[in-house]
Amino acid sequence: MSICQLGNLSEEEKPEQINEQTQDEPQKKEEPTGLSPESLTSEKLPEQEDKPSTSNLEVIKIQAWWRGTLVRRTLLHAVLRALIIQRWWKQILTSMMEKRRRAALENFTRKEWAAVKLQSWVRMWRIRRRYCRLLNAARIIQAYWRCHSCASRGFIKGHYRVTANHLHLELEILLGSGPCIVSECIPLPIKQ
């Protein structure tokens, strides 16, 4: 019932209290407004709402400090992660450079070894060829001079010796007038 309707009612029909519910009206639930008598007395004036209280300033300072701590901690973790990644990448680069250097060194060593081996084979072939020619010439000379009698009934004897870099020939020619000894040392060209 509204207040206007209450004014039109007779004394018998009026409820004893204004807030009392009539039988015709359904009972309404009261919604709490959230205002208690204590909150009404401690309600701030509009001019006081702009200025935070001392405890609010301290709370704000603590919150700011905590946010700063969290930001510094987050940045520290980010820096540490970046340093870990950088250290790992430097190790990877170092190992890659070491592998490249080792591969280049092995390739260079293989090429140098092949060149040295080839040069030694060529030198050995040339020296062997010269040695075989000299040996063949010495054998021919020996075969011709060994126990060969000259027209004056002289004899020619000889022998040879081959060392690492020399061919030694010693010939002894016996003629009627006296012996004639010829010694010859022929150097073999060996590159040192």
Side-chain angles (χ1 to χ4, degrees):
M1 285 184 117
S2 69
I3 297 176
C4 297
Q5 293 172 345
L6 285 174
N8 295 337
L9 295 174
S10 63
E11 288 291 320
E12 300 167 4
E13 296 175 345
K14 286 185 180 178
E16 294 176 3
Q17 292 182 358
I18 296 177
N19 290 337
E20 190 178 299
Q21 299 290 331
T22 59
Q23 294 176 353
D24 297 339
E25 286 182 27
Q27 189 175 12
K28 293 182 180 178
K29 294 183 181 176
E30 289 186 12
E31 294 181 7
T33 59
L35 296 175
S36 64
E38 297 85 29
S39 66
L40 291 175
T41 59
S42 67
E43 187 175 292
K44 294 181 184 174
L45 298 174
E47 59 201 26
Q48 289 179 346
E49 288 179 9
D50 293 341
K51 296 179 184 176
S53 69
T54 307
S55 63
N56 284 346
L57 284 175
E58 292 172 358
V59 168
I60 290 171
K61 285 182 182 178
I62 291 171
Q63 287 175 344
W65 171 81
W66 183 247
R67 281 194 301 271
T69 302
L70 290 177
V71 168
R72 282 191 296 278
R73 186 182 300 166
T74 304
L75 290 175
L76 178 65
H77 287 299
V79 167
L80 289 176
R81 288 183 189 116
L83 287 174
I84 289 169
I85 291 170
Q86 287 174 350
R87 186 180 307 138
W88 171 80
W89 183 243
K90 283 180 184 178
Q91 288 175 349
I92 294 295
L93 285 180
T94 304
S95 66
M96 287 172 53
M97 290 298 290
E98 181 66 25
K99 285 179 184 176
R100 284 185 194 155
R101 189 188 67 77
R102 187 174 301 237
L105 183 63
E106 287 176 0
N107 190 20
F108 174 76
T109 306
R110 251 194 318 272
K111 286 180 181 178
E112 286 295 312
W113 181 83
V116 168
K117 195 76 165 170
L118 185 63
Q119 288 171 354
S120 70
W121 285 346
V122 168
R123 278 197 309 271
M124 181 187 69
W125 175 74
R126 290 179 66 198
I127 290 169
R128 180 169 173 74
R129 205 172 92 192
R130 182 171 169 86
Y131 170 76
C132 288
R133 276 200 316 250
L134 290 173
L135 186 63
N136 193 23
R139 284 181 182 159
I140 290 172
I141 292 171
Q142 277 182 348
Y144 183 72
W145 284 348
R146 207 173 270 156
C147 300
H148 176 70
S149 62
C150 296
S152 61
R153 298 278 183 207
F155 293 98
I156 298 176
K157 292 186 200 177
H159 65 279
Y160 69 94
R161 183 176 42 143
V162 179
T163 61
N165 39 347
H166 292 300
L167 173 65
H168 297 281
L169 281 176
E170 290 185 22
L171 299 175
E172 187 178 338
I173 303 171
L174 299 172
L175 295 174
S177 62
C180 179
I181 299 174
V182 178
S183 280
E184 187 77 31
C185 182
I186 302 171
L188 297 173
I190 294 177
K191 192 171 186 179
Q192 300 275 334

